[in-house]
Amino acid sequence: MRIITLVICLAVSVHVTAQTKPIQKTKIGDIATSTTDLKDTAVVHNALKMLTRIGETSVKIRWALESPAGWKSCNHYGFCVARYTVMRDSLWLEHPERVVLASPYKAKPLAEWETLARQDNYAAIMAQTLYGANMQIEISDNNPLTQIVNESQDLQQGYTLSLLAADMSFEAAKMAAWGYEDQTAKRNERYLYRIISLAPSGKVHIDSAFTVVSMQDFKPLPVPSKPDVLFGDSLAVVGFNYFLLKDTYIAFHIERSEDGGKTFKQLTTTPVTGMSEKNGQENFQFFYSDKLSNNSSEYSYRIKGVNSFSEIGPVSEAVKGKGISCISAVPHITSCSINDKGFAEIEWEFDVTNQEAVSGFELNHSSINEGPYKVLQKDLSPSQRKLTVKNPHASNYYTITAIGKNGQRHTSPKRFLQLVDSIPPAAPNLLSALVDSSGHVRVEWKANVEDDLLGYKVFRSNNLIEESYIVTDTIIFNTLFEEQLDGSMINRTIYYYIKALDKHFNESVFSIAAEAKRPDITPPTSPVFTNYAVTEKGVHLQWARCEDSDVSSHSVLRKEIKSDAVWQIVSQFKDTTSHLTDKTAEKGSSYWYAVIAKDQSGLESIPVQPLRISLPDNPSDLKFTSFRAITDLDKSSTELQWTTDQTDIARFELYKGAGEEPVTLWKIVDGKQHSIKDIIRPDLSYEYMIRMVLINGSVGKFYTLKL
């Protein structure tokens, strides 16, 4: 069980929360002891927690309570420290030998604290928590613990600070009766130590605690690994993650050497520890900043751990380094021009106060703004502020970089310099433009040979008459362009053009157009049936043709209505025919009919819903006994009436034509219906046709009525 409360976290917490009741400093010998009466109003259950450390010649014990109430009571009544010898010379004792090491074991009187308190600030804190606000210890004003001591007023603060002081000073823990060192322990014996609270159980119930130890279990304190040291400008930051040592060390001291590691001086009066409140390994990371007197001397740093018994472990391996002189200024190019010889003259400025920190300058160059920038001239003197560049490019981007003696680099903003040029490059030689079946275009051309060539632009048009338009607004730097055409484009042929650009953005004229023919992947429009009739001659079919420009033929297909039937071509037309009488259809059979179109690329239209037709054994047998019209001109209406002796009728199909309009399907009514009304005009002639369709699919012949 770890008893420690982090030093710096508590120091900050107490300093912030205890901002009342300022305390006047008084010597410890000049005041009287003050004890606060216990006023327990309820039984509080507490548990003692123990921590042990086996030394070479003694056993050290520390303990603590879980609540301030129990801590306050035990400070008043004290403890009994008992030892039981349970083994000697590797043999278990039949009756353990009990020895009371201390009872009652209570805090030392106030007068005995003065000597230790003057030497140990944590002892002063412990005394303050035990003897209240009237007891003050003289400690230096510049000590970071002064404010903590002066402001620890209430019970919770006293309890918390006592844990801090006990963790950081084992001598203070012993003086306060929260720690004990048994110097009579022997190496050939094993002991059980028991700590018993002497507080009345009726007021505060405190469970005792025990631990079993053997002197033979002694282990020396481990050596910490070397710390991480980050050197900056006149600064060194020492960091260390003691996660693997968290069960051994609670804090660390930092040591520094300025003579190559021969002698070290401890930098920390108060040991440092982690301040993070996160759970996990990050909670055990600490950092310590050390101000360096200069950046030229070499410094060495090492650390050593402190455990909960104020024992200091061995030192770590040292880490050496020097401070880093940083550049705080950035160079700026003040002038960039072309002289009468055609050379580029570049001037820059740099803060002279930073000149000692740089080893020199470098001139960087790129032909484009984005870079990459290459070093054009290097090893320029720290005092140099001007140079000349022979044979500059058509387009130039320059930067100046200051190189620090520590490797630090500060680069100026870019400065652009362009030569005057109004001559455009030659038109590119376009080689090919190919389109695959998926609409992917690949355009290639021959590279231009101009030295100042920047890139190319790609244009496209749907024909040779219209003006071309740019395909992409970005410059292409190679000689290949690819794109995916939109599937909705209807043009079979498209044209591509290329323009070349130089670095002054002079554009060439258009290249010769390259024709790209798109593969035909669009099937023709589907033709549809517009009418049909079953006559004594066969099945008469009419359809609306596909009017696509590349259609090559229409085919009428037929398939019997059965599971193993296949489609067969009834007839194929390469002209404008749009009707057919299928004389090969057998009476009493049922068929599916479909019509498809095919284009010049061999693509076929998608068949629409096929037409189902059933032929009666004899269509003339499906007769109407009457089919008449009763017309009422006053109401501009007529009623069609029909009768038949057929009983298994599925539906009646009625067709109508008015004036010059062709006769088309008008109404489909239920097989039980025998009349229907229609609105007519007196100035038009009408033609009505009717036929019956049986439940088995047989279709009768048409009966016609004209008005």
Side-chain angles (χ1 to χ4, degrees), residues 457-461 468-471 495-497 499 510:
K457 289 184 179 180
V458 179
F459 298 79
R460 182 177 67 199
S461 67
S468 60
Y469 54 92
I470 192 167
V471 178
Y495 299 89
Y496 285 91
Y497 306 85
K499 274 187 174 183
F510 283 111

Side-chain angles (χ1 to χ4, degrees), residues 16-90:
V16 172
T17 57
Q19 295 295 326
T20 61
K21 299 181 181 179
I23 299 172
Q24 300 297 323
K25 294 182 181 179
T26 309
K27 294 185 180 180
I28 188 169
D30 297 338
I31 58 138
T33 304
S34 173
T35 324
T36 304
D37 293 337
L38 297 176
K39 297 180 181 180
D40 299 315
T41 58
V43 176
V44 179
H45 291 274
N46 292 270
L48 274 172
K49 302 296 182 180
M50 293 183 64
L51 189 67
T52 59
R53 164 64 180 163
I54 302 172
E56 293 186 86
T57 60
S58 66
V59 175
K60 297 178 181 179
I61 309 172
R62 286 258 329 279
W63 57 91
L65 280 167
E66 295 179 328
S67 73
W71 169 80
K72 180 179 179 181
S73 180
C74 288
N75 285 338
H76 183 75
Y77 292 103
F79 300 94
C80 173
V81 182
R83 185 187 72 189
Y84 298 80
T85 305
V86 296
M87 177 181 286
R88 182 177 292 117
D89 296 328
S90 301

Side-chain angles (χ1 to χ4, degrees), residues 660-702:
E660 299 298 327
E661 295 179 357
V663 178
T664 58
L665 181 63
W666 172 48
K667 299 284 185 181
I668 297 177
V669 299
D670 187 80
K672 296 179 180 180
Q673 185 173 336
H674 294 280
S675 65
I676 191 170
K677 289 185 177 182
D678 187 24
I679 303 300
I680 63 174
R681 290 170 49 185
D683 58 332
L684 293 179
S685 60
Y686 292 87
E687 181 177 356
Y688 294 94
M689 299 176 65
I690 189 172
R691 68 180 178 184
M692 66 181 74
V693 180
L694 302 186
I695 296 175
N696 64 3
S698 299
V699 181
K701 66 179 182 179
F702 283 101

Side-chain angles (χ1 to χ4, degrees), residues 593-654:
Y593 282 92
V595 58
I596 61 172
K598 181 182 293 186
D599 62 17
Q600 296 174 358
S601 299
L603 300 175
E604 294 182 346
S605 64
I606 301 173
V608 297
Q609 178 65 34
L611 181 66
R612 175 172 177 163
I613 298 177
S614 298
L615 283 71
D617 292 335
N618 188 354
S620 61
D621 293 340
L622 304 181
K623 297 179 179 179
F624 287 90
T625 56
S626 67
F627 182 40
R628 63 178 182 171
I630 301 175
T631 303
D632 187 345
L633 295 178
D634 294 335
K635 296 182 179 180
S636 299
S637 66
T638 184
E639 182 178 9
L640 301 179
Q641 298 177 347
W642 61 88
T643 59
T644 180
D645 295 332
Q646 199 74 29
T647 58
D648 55 345
I649 301 173
R651 64 183 182 274
F652 293 104
E653 296 178 353
L654 290 104

Side-chain angles (χ1 to χ4, degrees), residues 213-418:
V213 300
S214 173
M215 292 290 290
Q216 295 181 356
D217 295 334
F218 165 74
K219 292 181 180 178
L221 293 175
V223 179
S225 57
K226 62 182 179 181
D228 298 317
V229 183
L230 179 64
F231 289 93
D233 191 359
S234 300
L235 181 70
V237 179
V238 181
F240 184 68
N241 191 319
Y242 59 100
F243 178 74
L244 299 178
L245 299 176
K246 60 184 176 63
D247 293 328
T248 303
Y249 296 123
I250 61 172
F252 292 82
H253 282 292
I254 316 298
E255 294 183 346
R256 182 184 70 189
S257 172
E258 300 182 29
D259 57 3
K262 297 178 181 178
T263 58
F264 281 85
K265 178 183 177 181
Q266 183 172 299
L267 300 178
T268 50
T269 303
T270 302
V272 296
T273 188
M275 293 185 64
S276 173
E277 296 181 359
K278 298 178 181 179
N279 293 325
Q281 187 170 349
E282 299 86 354
N283 194 44
F284 301 98
Q285 181 83 24
F286 76 78
F287 297 95
Y288 178 85
S289 298
D290 182 32
K291 183 70 174 177
L292 305 180
S293 59
N294 60 73
N295 291 326
S296 58
S297 300
E298 184 179 71
Y299 298 88
S300 301
Y301 291 91
R302 67 186 187 185
I303 61 174
K304 55 187 178 183
V306 181
N307 67 6
S308 295
F309 296 90
S310 304
E311 296 177 336
I312 298 178
V315 295
S316 69
E317 182 182 346
V319 177
K320 299 179 181 180
K322 293 182 179 181
I324 299 174
S325 297
C326 296
I327 305 174
S328 60
V330 177
H332 291 273
I333 299 177
T334 57
S335 175
C336 193
S337 60
I338 300 294
N339 62 20
D340 54 2
K341 295 182 180 180
F343 299 160
E345 292 185 350
I346 302 170
E347 296 183 27
W348 67 94
E349 62 181 17
F350 186 72
D351 187 1
V352 293
T353 60
N354 279 255
Q355 187 166 305
E356 293 298 325
V358 299
S359 59
F361 296 95
E362 289 180 350
L363 175 67
N364 312 297
H365 174 268
S366 176
S367 297
I368 58 175
N369 182 39
E370 297 80 8
Y373 286 80
K374 296 182 179 180
V375 178
L376 193 62
Q377 293 188 31
K378 60 181 180 178
D379 298 330
L380 302 175
S381 169
S383 60
Q384 186 172 346
R385 299 293 185 269
K386 182 178 180 180
L387 59 81
T388 300
V389 179
K390 296 181 179 180
N391 303 320
H393 294 193
S395 296
N396 305 271
Y397 292 86
Y398 294 107
T399 63
I400 291 287
T401 300
I403 310 298
K405 293 180 180 179
N406 59 357
Q408 189 180 10
R409 304 171 68 90
H410 281 189
T411 300
S412 71
K414 293 171 265 191
R415 187 68 180 260
F416 178 61
L417 178 63
Q418 186 176 33

